[in-house]
């Protein structure tokens, strides 16, 4: 397991009891380098949306546990936040929650001269995602071809 994956996994194990205590959902944990800084980001959510006070509460508790465990070698910035509107669908529960809703798909390579698609999420499994664009013709994408899939914005 790569160091990044180890840090994310161990952090997830620490934060899960905290978010469960408050009936929040852990959306994702990521350990990434941006510029000269490393960031440990935890995205949490709840029905009706997450608030700054929720993030502060989880940040405080998680920060204490991370200080006690001290398993991350580099200095890093801990962030706890809402996943935001543009969060990608990654986990089973993300796809399940999004069935019947409009999603945007961006592919790594062009498919029929296009890399961006929008449609209603009709089905998914471990290998494929099926959407139905407005024209009604279902499209099936291999997950390996998808660079990003998220809920579509309708402003």
């Amino acid at each position: 397991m790569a160091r990044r994956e180890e840090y994310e996994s161990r952090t997830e194990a620490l934060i899960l009891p905290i978010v469960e205590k408050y009936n929040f959902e852990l959306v994702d944990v990521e350990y990434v380098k941006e510029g000269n800084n490393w960031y440990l980001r935890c995205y949490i959510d709840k029905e009706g949306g997450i608030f700054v006070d929720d993030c502060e509460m989880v940040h405080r508790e998680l920060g204490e546990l991370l200080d006690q465990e001290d398993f991350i070698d580099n200095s890093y910035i801990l962030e706890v936040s809402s996943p935001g509107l543009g969060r990608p669908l990654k986990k089973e529960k993300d796809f399940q929650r999004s069935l019947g809703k409009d999603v945007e798909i961006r592919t790594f390579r062009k498919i029929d001269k296009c890399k961006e698609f929008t449609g209603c999420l009709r089905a998914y499994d471990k290998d494929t995602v099926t959407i139905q664009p407005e024209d009604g013709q279902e499209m099936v994408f291999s997950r390996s071809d998808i660079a990003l899939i998220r809920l579509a914005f309708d402003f």
Side-chain angles (χ1 to χ4, degrees):
M1 178 183 299
R3 182 171 289 168
R4 180 186 60 79
E5 292 167 336
E6 176 190 343
Y7 293 165
E8 291 171 352
S9 176
R10 289 183 70 178
T11 301
E12 188 170 324
L14 290 176
I15 195 174
L16 270 173
I18 299 168
V19 297
E20 289 172 355
K21 175 171 69 172
Y22 296 111
N23 293 317
F24 298 162
E25 172 191 352
L26 178 62
V27 175
D28 200 10
V29 173
E30 62 180 10
Y31 183 72
V32 295
K33 187 169 187 174
E34 293 178 3
N36 292 328
N37 296 317
W38 283 95
Y39 292 86
L40 179 60
R41 293 191 175 118
C42 302
Y43 299 99
I44 59 175
D45 207 356
K46 70 177 181 186
E47 191 69 37
I50 212 77
F51 298 99
V52 172
D53 291 345
D54 301 327
C55 294
E56 288 177 6
M57 189 169 47
V58 172
H59 185 282
R60 191 171 27 261
E61 290 186 38
L62 177 61
E64 288 177 15
L65 292 174
L66 287 167
D67 287 345
Q68 289 171 11
E69 297 287 325
D70 197 27
F71 58 84
I72 299 177
D73 296 333
N74 311 18
S75 62
Y76 61 92
I77 298 166
L78 174 63
E79 295 180 350
V80 177
S81 68
S82 161
L85 291 174
R87 83 181 198 206
L89 307 182
K90 291 184 175 182
K91 299 180 178 179
E92 168 78 18
K93 60 186 168 190
D94 298 329
F95 283 92
Q96 184 63 40
R97 182 178 31 237
S98 300
L99 276 173
K101 296 180 181 173
D102 284 344
V103 295
E104 295 175 355
I105 292 179
R106 290 190 187 144
T107 57
F108 290 111
R109 60 178 178 75
K110 288 185 179 184
I111 299 173
D112 296 329
K113 300 179 184 176
C114 194
K115 289 179 80 170
E116 295 185 11
F117 305 87
T118 303
C120 181
L121 180 62
R122 290 293 177 208
Y124 68 93
D125 59 33
K126 67 181 182 68
D127 298 316
T128 63
V129 172
T130 303
I131 65 169
Q132 185 174 14
E134 286 185 6
D135 69 10
Q137 184 66 34
E138 283 192 349
M139 299 180 72
V140 179
F141 296 87
S142 170
R143 285 223 183 166
S144 61
D145 290 336
I146 297 174
L148 173 70
I149 180 169
R150 65 180 178 191
L151 286 175
F153 300 115
D154 188 21
F155 293 105

